[in-house]
Amino acid sequence: MEVLAGAASIIAVVEVTAKIGELCGTHIREVRHAPDDIERLRSKVVALHAVLMRLHKLPPSEIDASAVQNCNKYLDSLLKRLEPKKQHSSMRRMGLRALKWPFTSKEVGDQVQAIEQYLVIFNLSLQLGISERTTDAEQDRLLDKLAYVGEAILTSYETSRRHRQCLPSTRVDVLQQIMNWTVDTSPRCIFWLKGLAGTGKSTIAKTIASSLKAVSSHLATYFFKRGHGDLAHVRRLLPTIVRQWVRFSPSYRQSVLDVIKKDPNIGQSADIREQYETLIVGPLRLSRQLEPSSEPFIIVMDALDECDDETDLRMLLKLFATTNDLPDLRIKIFVSSRPDLSRHGFEEMPSVFHYTMVLQDVPRAIVDRDIKIYLSHELKAIQERFRLPSQWPSMEEQNTLATKAGGLFIFAATACRFIGGASQAKPQERLEQICSSVTMNKLMTEELDQMYALVLQNSIKGRYTDEEQQRNRLRFIHIVGRIVILLDPLPMSQLFMLFGGAHFESQEELEGVLQTLHSVIDIPEDANNPVQTLHLSFRDFLLDPDRCFDRQFWVDEEQANQTLAVDCLRLMSSSLQRNMCGLTSLGTLKAKIDLTLIEKAFSPAVRYACRHWAEHASRARSQFQKFSVVYEFIHDSRRFATNFRHIIEQAPEQLYVSAILFSPMQSSVRQIFASSVPRWIRLRPQLDETWGPSLQTIECSYSVRSACFLQGDRLIATSGRLYSPQNHRSFEKLEIWDAQTGERQTNLLPITGDSTRIMKLSADGLTVVLVSSDNVLKFWDIAKRDFRFVLEKGHSQIVCTELSGDNNFLAVGYEDGTIQLYGTTAGDCRHELGGHSDRIIGLDFSPDSKIIATSSLNAVLRLWNVQNGSLLHTVEGLHIDYADSSIIAFSSDGKLLAVALKIAAIQVWDVAMGKVELNLEVTVETARPPRFLHVAPSPPRQTLPEKVLFSPNGEVLASVLNNYTIHVWDVRTGACLSTFEGLGVVAFSSNGELLASGFAEDQVQVWNIQKDVLHCNLEGHTRPLSAINFSDDGRTLLSGSSDRTARVWDIQRGAGQPSNWKERAYKTNFSNDGKAVVLLLFFGVRVFDFETGDCRLRYDGDVVSFSSEGQLVIITSDGDTRVADLQTGSHSNLPNGDLYTLSTDGQLAAFVDDNEKDIRVWNIRRDEETVCFAYNHETLIKKLLFSSDSDLLASRTGGEVRIWTIRTGNCISIVDNRFGVFQDMAFSPNNKLLAFTDFEEDKSGYSASLCLWDVRAARLRFKFDWDLWFKNKIVFGPDSRLVAVVSDYYDDDDDDDDYGILVWNTQTGERILTQRSHSYKPRVEFLAGIDALFIDGKPYATGTAKLTEAEVARYSRSISSLQIDKSRTWVTKSSERVLWLPPERRPDAYAVWGNQMAISSNNGLITFLTFTDEVES
């Protein structure tokens, strides 16, 4: 009975959580204060509801009934407090609301904490619930998503081959100390074993790991190796550790599986911090709760200093240090490395965090004893193998070897391999060579260096002539010199493929040379394993001219890199060809390509060449600069790669399609690969001859609101806002990019979700301020990759933040007008600044960080002393049009402050004296948008300053006015130096000579303000600019735009003059014969010849109407109205009016008379009025529509439709819609029906409907309802039997809008088809003779019978399958991606005629493309 009671209680709790969630939603809508508190509680209740729904699926026996009952009691009490109190009758009569939020912010925090406790309890039950478990195969599949490196673990072949264990009776004290640490209970969770190269660290690490494996089940290992691919990647460490731990703990395994289900990429692309928190800390903490045990989870890492990313390494050590603060996890970490690791943060850790053992500090006598034991063991094996006398070697010779080792085990190991090597020399001779050798340098590694030199000298000696010895020496430099600088090791066969063929006739000959170096080069028995140096010290020796005293063996690193780069290019040239993976689609995304295909298609040597040729070339830069052709090709390749990086990484096949197609005509890459330009595109767009000023384009997933250079122009930061459909709110997104390559730097910023409301970067790019939706502020240190401090919710909502220039102060502005100043070291509140009575909109520190200017929504500016928080000055009357602090600006020395006022003036204040130095008056005139903005005329307004900005030297002030002009002022005299057209974003170069501003929405103008001339104009964006910044050297400029891109420009290559105004089309049509393209512009019409691209006809003016087939167009200009025939070029005048529309046959034009009371119908051919309808209605007419036979005319207002007969002028029907709003309308082809769409709003939200009005019977035939309601378009079938509606489709689970297509039978009212289109402006077409609807060229049956292949083939020929996808980035053919469009070529309008496509972009570019019937793969 208790079991059943538990199950019943869950149902009750689920119902209560649903009620509470609904009440919270009601409070959000009805209660104006505390929205964040309400949302915070609601989200927790929703989370609890979701967990309980999952818990309900478990068997009753696995449910904690008492916990469920206690939760039920708690939620009942919460529900009672949330339920609205009974309303007094007098309040109801007066319409007053009784709903009131019952909790304070602190009480909400308590409620949230209580719910979180129940979430923990119930989630624990779910972890062990069998209904949530997956099969073993599914678990393995999920765990395979972790970037696991099997070669790095203890039991791998690679580790076994590279490392040996300590011999018995050696390293006894060292090993014992480490093993004692693994079982002690001290808080020092890290043991750092450090020592110089060759002191035996790896041998000790492997011995410790092997010993722990025998006694501990919770062991994970990782043996690093520099220059060996994944073995040197820090980012592979944590996933590999997790893969080992999941075998030992079922609860830990299940927790990790849940994490991977939620984020499948966590083990691949996430940064180290996120991996540590989500794969290590979270699952381990849960595992400890479910499986209490005192046994620690142990990590053994060897050669951590050999990892390849210093930044990631520093972050890793930072995270390891935090394990001391997590004693409940019981993690032990053993690390071995060279002493260099100390500079990455190890020695910054307090000593209470870790033990440190220095191998050099071990008494020399103990080390020498251990080395003698090792030598005795190894030499005994050589004696037995070569059948030498039992007394060999002598004790004196062994002692000599031990002395020469100098405490370095690597010397002893190399010497034994040299002595025992299979060669012409005998062991005794080689032993004598070592013992008798004399050191040649004074370095600490002198004996080891002498050992290496001896090995190399012997490798080229023997029964060789001098000529053969010289050949062997050259071969050594050629082969070994490359092996030691390889960035990833390769097997023997791949070495021969990459560079051996040029010097060796066969792979066997190459192997023979390397066999003579077996004591320093590891040549594995398995041919699939890589050839590599046995120890890193051998590489160090060869590359250091001071250590490699025998100069015939010294490797010139720069020269070797040049030779290897050439080898890579040669191999790539002979091996690479198009589509090596055999992809069947041109638009196949890289994420969808099976990795096994890549491994089969590209040999390891070819993969190496592709990945690393550029790095080797970079390391040999001075060598390559001697070859101008190669250097120019590399430069052009870089421009090619940075311009098309986005698509090359996304869809590799587009490298040969879009990237080459849209490259400049003179590009070296394009010319070399000219034969790869797709033959199936017969007509190509007009292209520039050379690369333009745009150096690279960074594509973002948001409209870029800010963009700036960081850290000496090395990085770029962009930010913007994204919308979260799940939470129905927008959030801030900040990203950092490599300024040279455009690669996103994913590991610099904290992991944020869709709850970040404010995300602001400091001016120096070193810190980030984040404010979450629940008003928690966090301060992120980019260098340390950690939160420096966290501030819990304040007394009202945070609305803005700002960091001082010295990064010592953080200012936080609140909704209620309060400002708080925090120290950025510990997050302590230094001052609270009061006085503002309204929302804070601007915070601005002076350059010396001594003064802060604060502005509020009530147009008041205050200046404060940062050190003591005292008020210095107050300025009233600011021009507040936007929540933007750019209405004020400090000069670079902080002595002056410019303020934009709403009295059409700019004041320049002396900050110290608190007085006005200059009054700069703006000419008062009406502000109208210039023609280049392409916006509808707006009412005139007063000219006011919107932004002010000082030049770096403080001598010049720039002001941006709302009349789209920019004024430049002399601060000393107050004289206006120059005025030019421009938009709201401005920036000065560092020397103050150049001023950049927005122009024509999407262009950047750069002015030389000293010479008062235009320096250059930069075109490429397709949407308004939002940010402009110069680089420190003033040679490049960064711009951000709402077109979701940021661009880096070379301002020396920009065009001299801007386009007067871009001819941007809002609609594109083909002529009936497909030979001409008609562009309907914002201010005219252009007709282009499709074959030549020449403009053959143009009309200027406002386009007010056009015929359905695009042949006729009505234009108004300078008070005149004309109807023009775009095929013949003829035109005739029409009376002035409004809402012009043309009949289908082009004979009639209807419009609303200037008196707005009459509808007039004009016969165009006869140039006379046909009829005039007296409308006489208070509501304005919004649309006119002719029937297909031109006998009827429909007029629509917001809530009424009237149908008129042209011949009689009578109104035959009035359709009244009292509650909804009419949208689109259309007559059926037989003119018997008028279809119109409307939408209504009620308590449940919005609903849409399609109404079919019987014209003859004057009654409503059908009304069809659906949930799609944006931008509806109606399409009838040719026989009027079917009607389709194309509507914007919005899905809460999808971040993008699609289109929904619904089809009804007009005779029966049956809905017969519902489809969804992923295209941008989908084409919906009916054809006579077939029961089908074609959506983007694809047929869908609308009858009872299925379509036959013959029918589809016959009718599809008359329907184009070309389309633009919904992202506007791809041309698709039969719904398959075939051509990627660069940002500047993406459509605002486009048209298709057969296999021809015309695209008009927002920046004025026109692209004409013709595709053959069969697109090649």
Side-chain angles (χ1 to χ4, degrees):
M1 293 298 293
E2 292 181 359
V3 170
L4 294 177
S9 296
I10 289 183
I11 297 174
V13 178
V14 168
E15 293 175 350
V16 174
T17 54
K19 292 178 182 178
I20 294 175
E22 184 178 349
L23 278 172
C24 287
T26 303
H27 277 81
I28 289 175
R29 291 191 298 270
E30 300 293 334
V31 178
R32 294 181 180 177
H33 72 284
D36 290 339
D37 284 341
I38 303 172
E39 174 58 28
R40 189 179 174 194
L41 180 61
R42 187 197 69 82
S43 62
K44 287 298 178 184
V45 173
V46 169
L48 181 60
H49 178 85
V51 170
L52 288 166
M53 291 295 290
R54 293 172 61 197
L55 194 67
H56 182 52
K57 299 177 182 178
L58 293 180
S61 59
E62 297 189 15
I63 299 173
D64 187 344
S66 62
V68 174
Q69 291 172 0
N70 291 336
C71 181
N72 195 12
K73 292 178 182 178
Y74 162 73
L75 291 175
D76 279 338
S77 63
L78 180 61
L79 180 62
K80 290 177 181 177
R81 292 194 64 181
L82 284 171
E83 287 177 334
K85 303 297 183 291
K86 187 175 180 181
Q87 219 171 4
H88 194 275
S89 60
S90 61
M91 294 178 66
R92 288 195 300 270
R93 288 194 300 269
M94 296 175 65
L96 299 177
R97 297 175 299 182
L99 198 60
K100 181 181 179 182
W101 181 244
F103 300 114
T104 64
S105 292
K106 183 180 183 305
E107 288 175 327
V108 170
D110 295 339
Q111 303 291 352
V112 167
Q113 187 175 1
I115 295 173
E116 286 177 341
Q117 291 175 353
Y118 285 111
L119 282 170
V120 171
I121 295 172
F122 296 146
N123 272 315
L124 291 178
S125 298
L126 284 172
Q127 289 292 328
L128 299 177
I130 59 173
S131 66
E132 291 292 302
R133 294 194 178 276
T134 54
T135 64
D136 290 342
E138 177 67 11
Q139 289 184 11
D140 291 341
R141 187 187 66 79
L142 288 170
L143 291 173
D144 284 343
K145 293 182 180 294
L146 297 175
Y148 173 70
V149 184
E151 294 178 341
I153 69 173
L154 172 67
T155 56
S156 71
Y157 170 80
E158 177 69 21
T159 303
S160 301
R161 189 169 54 82
R162 285 194 292 120
H163 304 301
R164 300 172 63 180
Q165 294 190 46
C166 297
L167 291 173
S169 302
T170 62
R171 299 296 200 185
V172 176
D173 293 339
V174 172
L175 296 174
Q176 190 60 52
Q177 288 186 52
I178 298 172
M179 292 302 293
N180 290 341
W181 162 80
T182 64
V183 296
D184 71 22
T185 57
S186 74
R188 288 194 271 189
C189 57
I190 301 175
F191 195 111
W192 180 23
L193 178 71
K194 66 177 179 178
L196 298 173
T199 53
K201 301 180 297 297
S202 296
T203 303
I204 294 172
K206 184 175 182 182
T207 305
I208 290 296
S210 299
S211 301
L212 289 172
K213 186 175 183 295
V215 299
S216 173
S217 60
H218 296 160
L219 173 69
T221 57
Y222 201 101
F223 288 77
F224 285 93
K225 178 72 172 176
R226 176 173 292 141
H228 284 61
D230 287 343
L231 292 179
H233 290 173
V234 178
R235 294 202 176 192
R236 298 292 186 260
L237 169 67
L238 296 181
T240 303
I241 288 172
V242 172
R243 280 295 300 269
Q244 295 173 78
W245 276 352
V246 295
R247 295 179 298 171
F248 310 129
S249 171
S251 59
Y252 178 78
R253 181 185 183 92
Q254 188 59 42
S255 298
V256 169
L257 289 170
D258 289 342
V259 171
I260 299 174
K261 288 178 186 176
K262 185 176 181 180
D263 183 2
N265 296 320
I266 186 68
Q268 297 283 349
S269 58
D271 71 3
I272 290 178
R273 170 176 289 277
E274 185 180 13
Q275 288 182 352
Y276 183 74
E277 292 175 351
T278 57
L279 292 174
I280 301 289
V281 176
L284 196 54
R285 176 174 283 126
L286 192 58
S287 174
R288 290 299 192 186
Q289 295 172 343
L290 294 172
E291 300 176 18
S293 170
S294 60
E295 184 177 354
F297 280 67
I298 302 176
I299 304 172
V300 173
M301 289 179 294
D302 175 55
L304 186 58
D305 57 299
E306 295 191 27
C307 70
D308 59 358
D309 190 317
E310 294 187 4
T311 306
D312 282 342
L313 175 57
R314 180 174 289 275
M315 170 53 65
L316 181 70
L317 296 177
K318 179 81 174 177
L319 294 171
F320 282 164
T322 64
T323 56
N324 190 67
D325 300 326
L326 304 169
D328 57 317
L329 301 186
R330 292 189 292 285
I331 300 178
K332 293 274 188 175
I333 302 170
F334 173 84
V335 177
S336 72
S337 77
R338 293 187 183 188
D340 302 357
L341 201 62
S342 60
R343 63 187 175 89
H344 295 293
F346 235 128
E347 293 192 346
E348 296 176 8
M349 299 183 193
S351 59
V352 295
F353 283 8
H354 69 283
Y355 287 101
T356 299
M357 177 181 286
V358 183
L359 284 179
Q360 299 94 279
D361 293 345
V362 176
R364 181 64 178 272
I366 296 176
V367 177
D368 286 347
R369 178 184 64 82
D370 290 346
I371 289 178
K372 289 179 180 179
I373 294 174
Y374 173 81
L375 288 170
S376 177
H377 178 274
E378 295 298 309
L379 293 173
K380 178 66 175 176
I382 295 172
Q383 180 259 325
E384 292 176 350
R385 180 156 58 90
F386 284 89
R387 298 179 181 180
L388 299 172
S390 58
Q391 67 272 20
W392 184 91
S394 68
M395 187 58 65
E396 180 182 357
E397 289 171 324
Q398 292 188 48
N399 290 336
T400 301
L401 288 178
T403 301
K404 282 182 169 291
L408 297 178
F409 276 84
I410 186 59
F411 177 94
T414 304
C416 290
R417 284 192 293 268
F418 176 66
I419 294 168
S423 179
Q424 297 174 354
K426 296 179 180 180
Q428 180 59 32
E429 292 177 355
R430 292 198 166 187
L431 175 62
E432 291 173 357
Q433 281 183 300
I434 298 174
C435 292
S436 62
S437 63
V438 180
T439 57
M440 303 295 293
N441 57 47
K442 303 298 182 181
L443 301 175
M444 186 170 60
T445 58
E446 56 185 1
E447 294 290 355
L448 180 62
D449 295 343
Q450 182 64 38
M451 179 75 254
Y452 283 145
L454 187 60
V455 170
L456 297 177
Q457 289 163 358
N458 275 270
S459 70
I460 62 172
K461 287 182 179 180
R463 296 175 182 176
Y464 302 118
T465 64
D466 291 344
E467 182 179 346
E468 288 174 332
Q469 286 194 14
Q470 177 66 8
R471 182 196 63 183
N472 289 342
R473 187 188 70 80
L474 293 176
R475 284 180 169 182
F476 167 83
I477 295 296
H478 182 80
I479 298 301
V480 179
R482 286 168 170 80
I483 290 175
V484 298
I485 65 168
L486 282 176
L487 301 175
D488 288 321
L490 293 169
M492 187 73 72
S493 62
Q494 303 303 308
L495 291 177
F496 183 76
M497 180 184 296
L498 180 59
F499 50 71
H503 291 262
F504 298 93
E505 294 182 359
S506 66
Q507 180 178 321
E508 288 72 20
E509 190 179 357
L510 169 63
E511 292 176 4
V513 172
L514 290 177
Q515 286 292 348
T516 65
L517 297 167
H518 75 282
S519 53
V520 288
I521 301 290
D522 179 21
I523 305 172
E525 295 180 3
D526 189 339
N528 295 318
N529 290 321
V531 176
Q532 55 195 326
T533 58
L534 283 165
H535 199 269
L536 192 61
S537 59
F538 180 59
R539 178 185 186 276
D540 298 340
F541 163 77
L542 288 176
L543 299 179
D544 189 338
D546 294 330
R547 293 180 58 187
C548 189
F549 50 86
D550 190 340
R551 296 304 293 268
Q552 66 176 327
F553 298 113
W554 172 64
V555 176
D556 184 331
E557 188 171 4
E558 187 171 302
Q559 179 64 44
N561 273 291
Q562 180 215 330
T563 309
L564 192 51
V566 173
D567 288 333
C568 291
L569 290 171
R570 175 189 54 78
L571 181 60
M572 291 162 60
S573 178
S574 63
S575 302
L576 297 181
Q577 57 186 351
R578 182 177 174 184
N579 197 11
M580 294 179 66
C581 291
L583 304 179
T584 58
S585 170
L586 295 169
T588 300
L589 301 181
K590 186 180 73 172
K592 303 293 184 180
I593 302 175
D594 189 343
L595 292 180
T596 58
L597 281 178
I598 300 175
E599 292 175 359
K600 290 179 181 178
F602 296 86
S603 67
V606 173
R607 290 203 298 271
Y608 182 94
C610 293
R611 290 172 178 167
H612 300 307
W613 75 269
E615 178 62 26
H616 288 300
S618 175
R619 295 182 181 189
R621 183 180 182 88
S622 63
Q623 299 288 333
F624 271 107
Q625 285 178 337
K626 302 174 184 177
F627 306 96
S628 59
V629 175
V630 176
Y631 194 68
E632 288 174 7
F633 173 75
I634 292 175
H635 175 73
D636 187 80
S637 298
R638 179 179 175 182
R639 292 296 305 270
F640 182 87
T642 54
N643 273 273
F644 298 106
R645 178 190 181 99
H646 179 81
I647 190 56
I648 293 173
E649 291 184 343
Q650 185 184 64
E653 267 299 283
Q654 289 297 308
L655 172 68
Y656 294 95
V657 185
S658 178
I660 295 179
L661 180 67
F662 291 108
S663 294
M665 300 301 294
Q666 299 302 318
S667 163
S668 300
V669 175
R670 182 189 180 100
Q671 291 180 345
I672 292 173
F673 295 97
S675 60
S676 297
V677 175
R679 294 189 299 273
W680 44 266
I681 301 181
R682 290 200 232 122
L683 186 64
R684 298 180 180 89
Q686 295 178 349
L687 298 168
D688 294 330
E689 287 296 311
T690 59
W691 293 106
S694 179
L695 297 176
Q696 67 169 293
T697 301
I698 297 173
E699 294 208 47
C700 306
S701 58
Y702 44 84
S703 295
V704 177
R705 296 204 307 177
S706 67
C708 60
F709 287 106
L710 301 176
Q711 299 181 16
D713 304 334
R714 187 175 64 85
L715 300 173
I716 289 172
T718 62
S719 67
R721 296 193 73 79
L722 283 170
Y723 181 73
S724 170
Q726 289 76 23
N727 293 330
H728 302 287
R729 63 186 175 205
S730 59
F731 62 96
E732 193 76 11
K733 177 101 172 181
L734 171 66
E735 293 177 301
I736 295 179
W737 315 79
D738 186 296
Q740 295 297 318
T741 66
E743 181 181 5
R744 187 158 58 99
Q745 307 296 293
T746 57
N747 58 336
L748 295 180
L749 296 172
I751 304 303
T752 59
D754 57 6
S755 62
T756 304
R757 190 163 46 83
I758 299 174
M759 196 169 185
K760 191 161 189 178
L761 189 70
S762 62
D764 57 12
L766 297 178
T767 53
V768 181
V769 178
L770 304 97
V771 181
S772 62
S773 58
D774 56 1
N775 223 31
V776 175
L777 184 147
K778 299 180 180 181
F779 193 83
W780 176 262
D781 190 313
I782 288 180
K784 296 182 177 179
R785 301 190 197 177
D786 193 12
F787 288 111
R788 195 179 295 177
F789 60 82
V790 176
L791 303 177
E792 295 298 331
K793 182 177 178 181
H795 41 75
S796 71
Q797 187 178 46
I798 298 173
V799 291
C800 56
T801 63
E802 186 65 32
L803 281 158
S804 60
D806 59 11
N807 241 7
N808 290 329
F809 292 94
L810 168 66
V812 181
Y814 291 91
E815 179 77 33
D816 64 1
T818 304
I819 299 121
Q820 290 180 325
L821 286 179
Y822 292 91
T824 57
T825 302
D828 53 314
C829 184
R830 303 289 180 84
H831 308 291
E832 184 167 309
L833 311 178
H836 286 291
S837 60
D838 209 336
R839 175 191 177 101
I840 301 299
I841 64 165
L843 301 168
D844 198 0
F845 282 94
S846 61
D848 59 8
S849 303
K850 294 181 179 179
I851 295 173
I852 183 172
T854 64
S855 52
S856 58
L857 202 57
N858 61 356
V860 174
L861 170 71
R862 286 184 165 84
L863 299 182
W864 311 81
N865 184 302
V866 173
Q867 295 298 326
N868 58 32
S870 62
L871 178 65
L872 301 177
H873 310 294
T874 300
V875 182
E876 296 185 354
L878 273 67
H879 171 215
I880 306 294
D881 261 4
Y882 307 98
D884 190 347
S885 62
S886 54
I887 54 173
I888 60 174
F890 281 99
S891 60
S892 57
D893 59 7
K895 295 180 179 180
L896 299 177
L897 176 69
V899 183
L901 302 178
K902 60 185 177 183
I903 57 173
I906 300 167
Q907 289 184 343
V908 179
W909 284 65
D910 184 310
V911 175
M913 301 299 294
K915 66 177 183 178
V916 177
E917 286 287 313
L918 283 175
N919 265 306
L920 308 176
E921 294 188 4
V922 178
T923 303
V924 179
E925 58 184 24
T926 56
R928 296 180 181 274
R931 188 174 178 81
F932 63 67
L933 283 186
H934 305 279
V935 298
S938 58
R941 52 181 176 166
Q942 182 185 15
T943 298
L944 294 172
E946 291 183 335
K947 287 181 174 64
V948 288
L949 179 69
F950 278 101
S951 63
N953 60 13
E955 296 178 356
V956 173
L957 177 71
S959 63
V960 182
L961 308 185
N962 66 345
N963 68 347
Y964 311 101
T965 61
I966 297 174
H967 291 198
V968 179
W969 310 84
D970 186 320
V971 175
R972 291 167 296 185
T973 65
C976 183
L977 301 176
S978 60
T979 301
F980 50 88
E981 287 185 330
L983 300 178
V985 286
V986 289
F988 280 101
S989 62
S990 56
N991 61 10
E993 293 180 1
L994 303 177
L995 175 68
S997 70
F999 178 78
E1001 289 189 310
D1002 52 17
Q1003 299 177 48
V1004 182
Q1005 281 191 348
V1006 181
W1007 289 82
N1008 188 315
I1009 58 176
Q1010 293 184 347
K1011 300 178 180 179
D1012 195 21
V1013 295
L1014 181 66
H1015 179 76
C1016 68
N1017 189 75
L1018 307 172
E1019 301 182 20
H1021 284 295
T1022 60
R1023 290 289 186 274
L1025 296 168
S1026 53
I1028 297 176
N1029 277 290
F1030 281 94
S1031 60
D1032 289 344
D1033 60 9
R1035 300 173 61 183
T1036 57
L1037 184 138
L1038 173 67
S1039 61
S1041 166
S1042 59
D1043 64 4
R1044 298 189 172 191
T1045 67
R1047 288 179 179 261
V1048 181
W1049 307 88
D1050 181 347
I1051 62 174
Q1052 304 304 319
R1053 298 172 64 91
Q1057 292 295 327
S1059 304
N1060 291 328
W1061 59 283
K1062 294 296 187 64
E1063 297 190 334
R1064 300 164 180 161
Y1066 65 86
K1067 188 173 181 62
T1068 305
N1069 281 328
F1070 273 96
S1071 61
N1072 291 333
D1073 57 6
K1075 294 182 178 180
V1077 176
V1078 179
L1079 301 185
L1080 302 180
L1081 312 176
F1082 288 94
F1083 299 107
V1085 179
R1086 302 290 181 266
V1087 180
F1088 290 87
D1089 185 288
F1090 185 80
E1091 290 296 326
T1092 66
D1094 296 332
C1095 180
R1096 69 186 194 192
L1097 189 64
R1098 60 188 300 145
Y1099 288 100
D1100 291 332
D1102 295 328
V1103 178
V1104 295
S1105 183
F1106 50 89
S1107 59
S1108 57
E1109 80 288 349
Q1111 180 176 341
L1112 298 179
V1113 63
I1114 299 177
I1115 303 172
T1116 62
S1117 177
D1118 298 327
D1120 294 328
T1121 303
R1122 293 178 294 172
V1123 56
D1125 188 315
L1126 300 180
Q1127 283 195 339
T1128 65
S1130 62
H1131 61 270
S1132 57
N1133 293 330
L1134 292 175
N1136 289 334
D1138 194 14
L1139 291 176
Y1140 290 88
T1141 189
L1142 288 162
S1143 62
T1144 306
D1145 58 11
Q1147 299 296 314
L1148 301 176
F1151 56 93
V1152 178
D1153 193 74
D1154 280 344
N1155 62 16
E1156 298 182 351
K1157 298 294 184 182
D1158 297 333
I1159 301 172
R1160 303 176 68 183
V1161 179
W1162 195 265
N1163 189 304
I1164 297 173
R1165 186 167 54 85
R1166 297 178 182 176
D1167 193 25
E1168 64 182 18
E1169 184 174 274
T1170 300
V1171 68
C1172 179
F1173 309 130
Y1175 190 78
N1176 294 325
H1177 197 282
E1178 295 180 358
T1179 307
L1180 293 177
I1181 298 173
K1182 295 187 176 181
K1183 185 174 182 178
L1184 299 173
L1185 177 70
F1186 280 100
S1187 61
S1188 57
D1189 60 4
S1190 303
D1191 287 342
L1192 302 175
L1193 181 72
S1195 61
R1196 174 178 69 79
T1197 65
E1200 179 185 272
V1201 174
R1202 296 188 183 189
I1203 303 174
W1204 313 78
T1205 60
I1206 303 295
R1207 285 175 295 181
T1208 66
N1210 295 329
C1211 177
I1212 60 174
S1213 289
I1214 297 178
V1215 185
D1216 187 16
N1217 187 12
R1218 297 181 180 179
F1219 305 105
V1221 178
F1222 288 114
Q1223 289 190 312
D1224 192 30
M1225 61 181 182
F1227 279 103
S1228 62
N1230 62 12
N1231 304 305
K1232 294 180 179 180
L1233 297 173
L1234 176 67
F1236 53 86
T1237 57
D1238 69 352
F1239 70 90
E1240 301 177 13
E1241 182 180 7
D1242 54 25
K1243 294 181 179 179
S1244 61
Y1246 292 100
S1247 63
S1249 61
L1250 171 68
C1251 300
L1252 294 183
W1253 185 262
D1254 190 314
V1255 175
R1256 293 181 180 177
R1259 65 178 180 83
L1260 185 66
R1261 179 181 292 185
F1262 292 112
K1263 183 177 181 180
F1264 311 122
D1265 296 324
W1266 78 99
D1267 56 356
L1268 312 173
W1269 57 277
F1270 286 115
K1271 300 179 183 177
N1272 300 311
K1273 176 185 176 183
I1274 302 171
V1275 180
F1276 272 100
D1279 58 3
S1280 304
R1281 185 172 56 85
L1282 299 176
V1283 63
V1285 171
V1286 184
S1287 175
D1288 275 6
Y1289 184 94
Y1290 181 75
D1291 186 351
D1292 282 355
D1293 296 326
D1294 194 348
D1295 194 24
D1296 295 308
D1297 291 350
D1298 285 345
Y1299 286 87
I1301 296 98
L1302 302 96
V1303 181
W1304 287 272
N1305 187 305
T1306 61
Q1307 298 172 356
T1308 65
E1310 176 189 6
R1311 186 196 291 191
I1312 59 176
L1313 183 67
T1314 301
Q1315 281 296 329
R1316 188 171 175 177
S1317 171
H1318 301 290
S1319 297
Y1320 173 62
K1321 299 181 179 178
R1323 295 193 321 280
V1324 177
E1325 301 166 277
F1326 288 100
L1327 288 183
I1330 183 172
D1331 287 337
L1333 173 69
F1334 287 79
I1335 302 175
D1336 302 330
K1338 184 177 180 179
Y1340 294 88
T1342 55
T1344 56
K1346 292 184 178 180
L1347 299 175
T1348 65
E1349 292 184 5
E1351 285 180 314
V1352 172
R1354 183 169 69 256
Y1355 286 98
S1356 293
R1357 283 194 292 268
S1358 60
I1359 296 290
S1360 175
S1361 61
L1362 290 177
Q1363 187 58 280
I1364 302 290
D1365 77 330
K1366 67 178 180 180
S1367 67
R1368 299 187 302 118
T1369 59
W1370 286 92
V1371 176
T1372 63
K1373 187 174 177 66
S1374 300
S1375 301
E1376 184 176 301
R1377 292 184 293 263
V1378 294
L1379 179 67
W1380 177 81
L1381 297 172
E1384 64 273 12
R1385 296 277 178 179
R1386 291 172 189 167
D1388 255 22
Y1390 77 100
V1392 172
W1393 190 89
N1395 282 333
Q1396 297 179 171
M1397 176 176 283
I1399 298 173
S1400 174
S1401 305
N1402 192 59
N1403 57 3
L1405 286 177
I1406 302 170
T1407 305
F1408 295 158
L1409 298 168
T1410 302
F1411 298 83
T1412 60
D1413 290 336
E1414 295 298 328
V1415 173
E1416 300 171 358
S1417 296

